């Protein structure tokens, strides 16, 4: 296989003096070719230090906790993940599920939190909890139990550490003392303090409890899964197989019932929050007011066309709806709600046709619109109440670029850019003062992280990660191929952004095969001006042109663009991707008969749809972990875009894969799936396998024992998958 790739690249590069070819195996070895990246960046409460998680240079599977002092000096390691956890241990199913939902692929220090006083850092490591004392500069183990302590937090004033173990919530004094069980009697089916499957997987809510600012109360979710269907899921590993009875809320079926309580820690009283008579709703978000006198709850209707913000009296549990967002399509959950010290609050809404920020009075009435224009706010990152400004990220210049801005919420004013244009920015903003840790990347710049003042001027580098001599990617930098960006028109006239990369040694007089890398699903755009994965270099070095296109339904655009796919998944997205392939066929250096497609998850679904479209321009495809029947997928995601099978039977029928398989060209498909996938369960693929076998249609498959949708994939697993992909395309597109 490697000889085949090398031979193809040698043919392309004959006579050209270039840097050495990047060996495929090197991409998955240490040190990381992306360079030293700062992840999970946080500013200390006093603003004097920046902490972050970094992959070890000697082991891509382990992460440590680092700190950089604002005053200067070299960053230093605070907590050595490999010392605390020299070997991977068997985690509880709850912790495995949390890591799967959060996409955590390493061990060691994978999460951490500061106390609000800036005196200590809490870090869960392989099921136990450790505390780093800033004054003493030492790590202390806080828990040592057979079970896993999950979703650990430091209380706001730093006096306690809280965590969930065996489906109950516990609190332990940081200074030492007995552990206190806040709840009792929790079980896997009736649990306290843990976000349910659907909240973690689809709602981006990964916690089930919330401290009040004064530490006197905790709001706690109680999750009852007894009504959720049991899906018997085979989990096939290298040493054998077992059947997992998974509580999986499939579309149109029962969800978990989630109640919310407020626990008074001093008196022990527990008050139930009134979430309304209808229990079939989603607990979207929970937050406390600055003074702790109000608990704010976001309640989303089952059909997701209504979102209520409720102000709750924590002493009684009674609430009042402050505002309601509605849509004929769906209302997205965000983390843009910010209660302010004077009782007002910031909120984002799409009622103008684009997501923008609004300032509301304490009673919910709109005081003013903070941002406006034909562009969307991406995320409210922070607030500087002293200056009365909101700090946010936005795709204001173009859908493929993201910058940081600030805007006054006290008086009308144009947003002020804090960062330059040309690439992609993300940031962590200080709780006060407006300083931020910003990360910038573009196609020729790997992620660089620095501390910035409120005006956007740089204070110091945290991880400069400069692409220069000594950088892991430097030996191969001459083979780096930056994308060309552009747009084509959809059938309704909407501009669709694309990126296109040609292989090293590109000769425009020759004809090249193309691989379209597709996702296409709502909620994720793949075309952006950022650093591209070194893994793509395998296909580029093998002589392929790489193409991506963001079809209708993807984010960072207008509400109309995003909701065009409502109730008809798998239709407009396919039309747009085929339009992209037709555009490719007009390029003089593209072999119009050798266009392949590949994608994972929704991208795997799209791959199957594109291979089976009438008169498809695609010759071959690799479909990874594909959804093949939306009736087998979960409630919150599927019903948001499709409704239920009962109210949208025609939409579900049109989106189904198996009914299209008679149009699949024999030998054109490689089907890939993890055999322990608990998100897109393995039966999505077995349905395709069974039908194609029944039809006598030849196809190829590669399954991975023990691997889930995201979690558990080692560097060598990923290498194997990449090499299977390039080998398949070499045989089908050469």
């Amino acid at each position: 296989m490697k000889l085949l790739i090398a031979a193809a690249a040698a043919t392309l590069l004959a006579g050209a003096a270039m840097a050495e070819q990047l060996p495929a195996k090197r991409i998955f070895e240490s040190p990381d070719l992306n360079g030293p990246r700062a992840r999970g960046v946080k500013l200390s409460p006093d603003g004097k230090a920046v902490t972050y998680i970094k992959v070890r240079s000697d082991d891509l599977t382990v992460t440590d906790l680092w700190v950089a002092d604002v005053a200067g000096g070299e960053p230093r390691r605070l907590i050595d993940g490999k010392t605390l956890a020299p070997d991977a241990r068997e985690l509880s199913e709850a912790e495995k599920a949390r890591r799967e939902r959060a996409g955590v692929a390493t061990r060691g220090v994978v999460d951490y939190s500061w106390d609000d006083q800036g005196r200590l850092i809490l870090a869960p490591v392989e099921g136990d909890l450790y505390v780093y004392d800033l004054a003493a500069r030492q790590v202390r183990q806080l828990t040592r139990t057979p079970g896993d302590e999950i979703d650990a937090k430091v209380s706001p004033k730093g006096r306690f550490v809280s965590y969930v173990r065996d489906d109950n919530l516990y609190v332990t004094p940081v200074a030492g003392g007995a552990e206190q069980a806040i709840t009792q009697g929790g079980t896997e089916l009736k649990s306290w303090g843990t976000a349910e499957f659907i909240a973690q997987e689809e709602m981006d809510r990964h916690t089930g409890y919330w401290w009040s600012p004064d530490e006197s109360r905790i709001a706690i979710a109680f999750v009852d899964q007894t009504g959720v269907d049991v899906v018997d899921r085979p989990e096939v590993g290298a040493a054998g197989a077992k059947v997992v009875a998974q509580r999986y809320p499939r579309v149109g079926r029962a969800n978990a019932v989630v109640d919310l309580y407020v626990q008074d820690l001093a008196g022990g009283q527990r008050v139930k929050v009134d979430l309304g008579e209808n229990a079939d709703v989603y607990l979207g978000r929970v937050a406390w007011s600055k003074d702790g006198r109000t608990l704010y709850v976001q309640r989303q209707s089952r059909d997701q066309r209504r979102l209520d913000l409720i102000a709750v009296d924590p002493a009684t549990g009674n609430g009042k709806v402050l505002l309601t967002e509605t849509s004929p399509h769906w209302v997205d959950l965000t983390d843009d709600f910010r209660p302010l010290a004077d009782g007002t609050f910031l909120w984002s809404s799409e009622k103008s046709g684009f997501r923008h920020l609004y300032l509301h009075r304490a009673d919910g009435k709109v005081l003013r619109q903070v941002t406006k224009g034909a562009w969307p706010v991406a995320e409210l990152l922070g607030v500087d109440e002293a200056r009365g400004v909101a700090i946010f990220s936005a795709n204001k210049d173009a859908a493929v670029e993201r910058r940081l801005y600030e805007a006054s919420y006290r008086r009308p004013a144009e947003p002020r850019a804090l960062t330059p244009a040309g690439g992609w920015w993300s940031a962590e903003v200080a709780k006060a003062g407006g300083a931020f840790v910003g990360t910038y990347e573009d196609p020729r710049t790997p992620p660089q992280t620095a501390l910035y003042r409120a005006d956007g001027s740089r204070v110091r580098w945290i991880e400069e990660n400069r692409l220069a001599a000594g950088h892991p990617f430097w030996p191969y930098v001459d083979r780096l191929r930056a994308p060309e960006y552009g747009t084509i028109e959809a059938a309704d006239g909407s501009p669709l952004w694309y990126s296109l990369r040609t292989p090293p040694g590109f000769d425009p007089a020759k004809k090249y095969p193309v691989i379209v890398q597709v996702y296409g699903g709502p909620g994720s755009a793949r075309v952006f001006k950022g650093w591209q994965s070194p893994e793509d270099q395998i296909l580029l070095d093998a002589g392929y042109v790489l193409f991506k296109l963001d079809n209708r339904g993807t984010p960072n655009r207008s509400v109309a663009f995003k909701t065009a796919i409502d109730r008809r998944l798998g239709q407009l997205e396919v039309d747009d991707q085929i339009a992209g392939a037709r555009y490719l066929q007009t390029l003089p250096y593209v072999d119009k008969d050798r266009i392949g497609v590949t994608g994972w998850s929704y991208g795997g679904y799209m791959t199957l749809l594109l291979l089976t479209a009438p008169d498809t321009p695609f010759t071959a495809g690799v479909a990874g972990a594909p959804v093949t029947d939306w009736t087998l997928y979960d409630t919150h995601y599927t019903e948001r875009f499709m409704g239920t099978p009962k109210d949208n039977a025609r939409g579900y029928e049109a989106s189904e894969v198996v009914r299209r398989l008679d149009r699949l060209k024999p030998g054109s498909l490689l089907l890939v799936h993890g055999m322990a996938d608990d998100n897109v369960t393995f039966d999505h693929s077995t349905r395709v396998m069974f039908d194609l076998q029944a039809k006598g249609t030849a196809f190829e498959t590669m399954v991975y024992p023990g691997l889930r949708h995201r979690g558990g994939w080692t560097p060598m697993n990923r290498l194997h998958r990449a090499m299977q992909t390039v080998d398949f395309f070499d045989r089908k597109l050469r």
Side-chain angles (χ1 to χ4, degrees):
M1 197 185 321
K2 293 180 183 177
L3 291 175
L4 183 64
I5 297 171
T11 300
L12 285 168
L13 304 177
M18 299 193 68
E20 62 179 287
Q21 185 169 326
L22 175 58
K25 189 176 181 181
R26 172 63 189 90
I27 295 168
F28 303 95
E29 294 176 331
S30 303
D32 189 346
L33 282 177
N34 296 294
R37 291 183 294 171
R39 304 172 183 177
V41 179
K42 297 178 184 179
L43 272 163
S44 64
D46 59 9
K48 294 181 179 180
V50 176
T51 47
Y52 56 98
I53 294 170
K54 189 167 76 168
V55 171
R56 293 178 67 92
S57 60
D58 61 349
D59 191 339
L60 288 175
T61 67
V62 180
T63 41
D64 303 324
L65 183 65
W66 286 68
V67 66
D69 295 325
V70 170
E74 288 297 311
R76 65 185 186 277
R77 182 161 47 200
L78 279 185
I79 301 178
D80 187 321
K82 204 163 191 175
T83 297
L84 297 184
D87 300 306
R89 57 166 281 191
E90 184 65 23
L91 300 171
S92 67
E93 282 301 315
E95 179 63 7
K96 285 180 183 178
R98 277 179 57 81
R99 294 191 182 196
E100 171 70 15
R101 306 283 86 81
V104 174
T106 60
R107 61 183 177 86
V109 184
V110 299
D111 192 16
Y112 71 98
S113 57
W114 282 87
D115 74 314
D116 283 357
Q117 316 306 311
R119 295 175 300 190
L120 58 89
I121 298 170
L122 173 68
V125 179
E126 299 301 289
D128 287 319
L129 302 180
Y130 295 82
V131 171
Y132 186 89
D133 187 309
L134 273 294
R137 290 200 170 194
Q138 64 182 18
V139 179
R140 172 168 55 92
Q141 186 166 358
L142 191 67
T143 65
R144 194 190 305 270
T145 63
D148 288 346
E149 283 79 36
I150 66 174
D151 193 16
K153 303 175 187 179
V154 184
S155 63
K157 294 183 178 299
R159 294 187 298 161
F160 304 99
V161 168
S162 54
Y163 44 88
V164 175
R165 186 178 65 240
D166 297 332
D167 303 301
N168 284 295
L169 180 65
Y170 294 86
V171 168
T172 293
V174 169
E179 172 185 82
Q180 178 186 358
I182 302 301
T183 66
Q184 295 177 333
T187 66
E188 183 181 356
L189 292 183
K190 295 184 176 183
S191 60
W192 288 99
T194 303
E196 69 276 21
F197 170 91
I198 213 73
Q200 295 184 45
E201 181 63 47
E202 309 297 1
M203 296 164 59
D204 201 24
R205 176 169 66 77
H206 299 276
T207 189
Y209 71 96
W210 301 264
W211 281 94
S212 67
D214 63 0
E215 299 183 345
S216 65
R217 295 182 171 104
I218 303 179
I220 313 170
F222 177 71
V223 178
D224 184 350
Q225 296 189 83
T226 54
V228 179
D229 288 347
V230 175
V231 174
D232 288 328
R233 173 175 60 82
E235 190 166 288
V236 182
K242 62 180 179 180
V243 175
V244 177
Q246 181 177 346
R247 296 281 174 166
Y248 190 103
R250 281 184 166 163
V251 60
R253 302 290 296 166
N255 273 322
V257 176
V258 182
D259 291 318
L260 185 66
Y261 293 82
V262 177
Q263 177 88 35
D264 186 301
L265 294 186
Q269 299 92 345
R270 184 181 298 159
V271 174
K272 186 176 183 180
V273 173
D274 183 4
L275 295 178
E277 295 181 2
N278 183 6
D280 195 13
V281 295
Y282 293 107
L283 179 67
R285 299 286 187 270
V286 178
W288 288 90
S289 62
K290 288 289 186 75
D291 59 12
R293 296 179 180 176
T294 304
L295 181 70
Y296 295 103
V297 178
Q298 294 182 40
R299 178 184 64 196
Q300 188 180 48
S301 63
R302 173 69 184 256
D303 65 8
Q304 298 176 65
R305 291 175 169 175
R306 178 186 177 107
L307 179 65
D308 297 314
L309 177 65
I310 307 170
V312 175
D313 179 351
T316 65
N318 296 327
K320 175 185 177 183
V321 175
L322 296 181
L323 64 84
T324 298
E325 294 282 341
T326 61
S327 168
H329 306 290
W330 64 83
V331 180
D332 283 323
L333 294 168
T334 76
D335 292 314
D336 294 338
F337 172 68
R338 289 292 195 285
L340 305 176
D342 63 2
T344 61
F345 60 88
L346 289 166
W347 176 264
S348 69
S349 171
E350 293 184 321
K351 58 189 174 185
S352 70
F354 291 86
R355 181 166 298 283
H356 281 296
L357 300 176
Y358 296 79
L359 179 67
H360 291 254
R361 293 190 327 205
D363 63 4
K365 301 297 183 183
V366 176
L367 278 170
R368 66 183 57 89
Q369 185 172 347
V370 178
T371 63
K372 61 182 64 177
W375 50 271
V377 168
E379 183 182 4
L380 177 59
L381 297 168
V383 177
D384 184 354
E385 294 195 54
R387 295 187 297 131
V389 298
I391 299 104
F392 60 94
S393 59
N395 301 81
K396 190 171 184 290
D397 301 321
V400 294
E401 295 183 15
R402 182 167 291 179
R403 300 169 72 182
L404 304 185
Y405 298 84
E406 68 172 26
S408 172
Y409 56 78
R410 292 175 179 164
R411 60 188 67 85
E414 277 294 304
R416 185 172 75 88
L418 299 175
T419 58
W424 197 267
W425 284 87
S426 59
E428 176 76 17
V429 177
K431 291 184 178 180
F436 62 92
V437 178
T439 297
Y440 172 79
E441 58 181 295
D442 63 40
R444 293 192 176 277
T445 307
Q448 298 182 314
T449 301
L451 175 67
Y452 296 85
R453 299 180 183 90
D455 62 4
S457 60
R458 190 171 68 228
V459 177
R460 64 156 295 168
W461 286 111
I462 304 301
E463 286 290 355
E464 185 178 6
N465 198 15
R466 190 162 61 94
L467 189 54
H471 190 281
F473 197 85
W474 184 250
Y476 319 103
V477 71
D478 288 345
R479 303 184 72 82
L480 182 64
R481 305 295 292 171
E484 164 197 328
Y485 295 89
T487 61
I488 63 170
E489 274 196 8
D492 66 354
S494 300
L496 307 174
W497 280 93
Y498 70 79
S499 69
L500 184 148
R501 280 183 288 172
T502 54
F506 173 68
D507 181 351
K510 294 182 178 180
K511 295 283 188 180
Y512 292 88
V514 181
I515 295 176
V516 175
Q517 298 171 305
V518 66
Y519 182 75
S524 181
R526 295 300 169 91
V527 180
F528 71 107
K529 291 186 178 179
W531 178 250
Q532 308 296 303
S533 170
E535 195 170 325
D536 289 344
Q537 201 67 39
I538 297 173
L539 294 170
L540 291 168
D541 279 346
Y544 293 99
V545 171
L546 298 184
F547 183 81
K548 296 179 185 177
L549 180 137
D550 282 339
N551 47 253
R552 282 172 288 179
T554 53
N556 307 329
R557 306 287 294 275
S558 68
V559 173
F561 186 89
K562 181 178 71 171
T563 60
I565 61 170
D566 189 16
R567 300 310 186 262
R568 46 179 174 167
L569 292 185
Q571 297 180 47
L572 296 184
E573 310 99 291
V574 170
D575 294 344
D576 291 350
Q577 293 293 335
I578 287 178
R582 299 297 183 201
Y583 165 73
L584 287 169
Q585 290 178 323
T586 69
L587 300 178
Y589 53 84
V590 167
D591 186 332
K592 65 183 181 62
D593 296 321
R594 294 191 292 158
I595 299 179
V597 58
T598 184
W600 190 265
S601 196
Y602 202 101
Y605 170 62
M606 287 290 294
T607 297
L608 291 172
L609 295 182
L610 292 168
L611 289 176
T612 55
D615 301 318
T616 180
F618 294 96
T619 302
V622 179
V627 174
T628 64
D629 182 346
W630 287 109
T631 66
L632 301 179
Y633 203 57
D634 68 46
T635 52
H636 194 272
Y637 184 93
T638 313
E639 292 174 12
R640 188 186 331 162
F641 311 117
M642 289 287 282
T644 65
K646 182 179 179 180
D647 63 30
N648 185 24
R650 293 182 65 181
Y652 275 84
E653 182 182 355
S655 69
E656 211 265 347
V657 168
V658 168
R659 61 190 294 271
R660 305 163 56 103
L661 291 178
D662 55 354
R663 292 198 294 261
L664 183 74
K665 187 176 81 172
S668 64
L669 170 66
L670 170 60
L671 186 62
V672 181
H673 214 128
M675 299 183 79
D677 198 324
D678 64 345
N679 177 14
V680 182
T681 50
F682 194 48
D683 52 349
H684 282 272
S685 281
T686 57
R687 295 174 72 257
V688 172
M689 296 175 193
F690 180 85
D691 190 81
L692 291 177
Q693 290 162 357
K695 286 180 168 66
T697 303
F699 69 101
E700 299 180 27
T701 186
M702 178 56 62
V703 294
Y704 289 88
L707 296 186
R708 302 194 180 198
H709 200 63
R710 290 176 289 258
W713 290 82
T714 68
M716 290 302 101
N717 290 143
R718 291 166 49 219
L719 170 64
H720 186 273
R721 194 172 87 192
M723 300 309 291
Q724 284 295 128
T725 298
V726 76
D727 173 69
F728 177 79
F729 281 130
D730 279 348
R731 288 186 283 108
K732 302 299 177 179
L733 301 182
R734 288 292 175 194

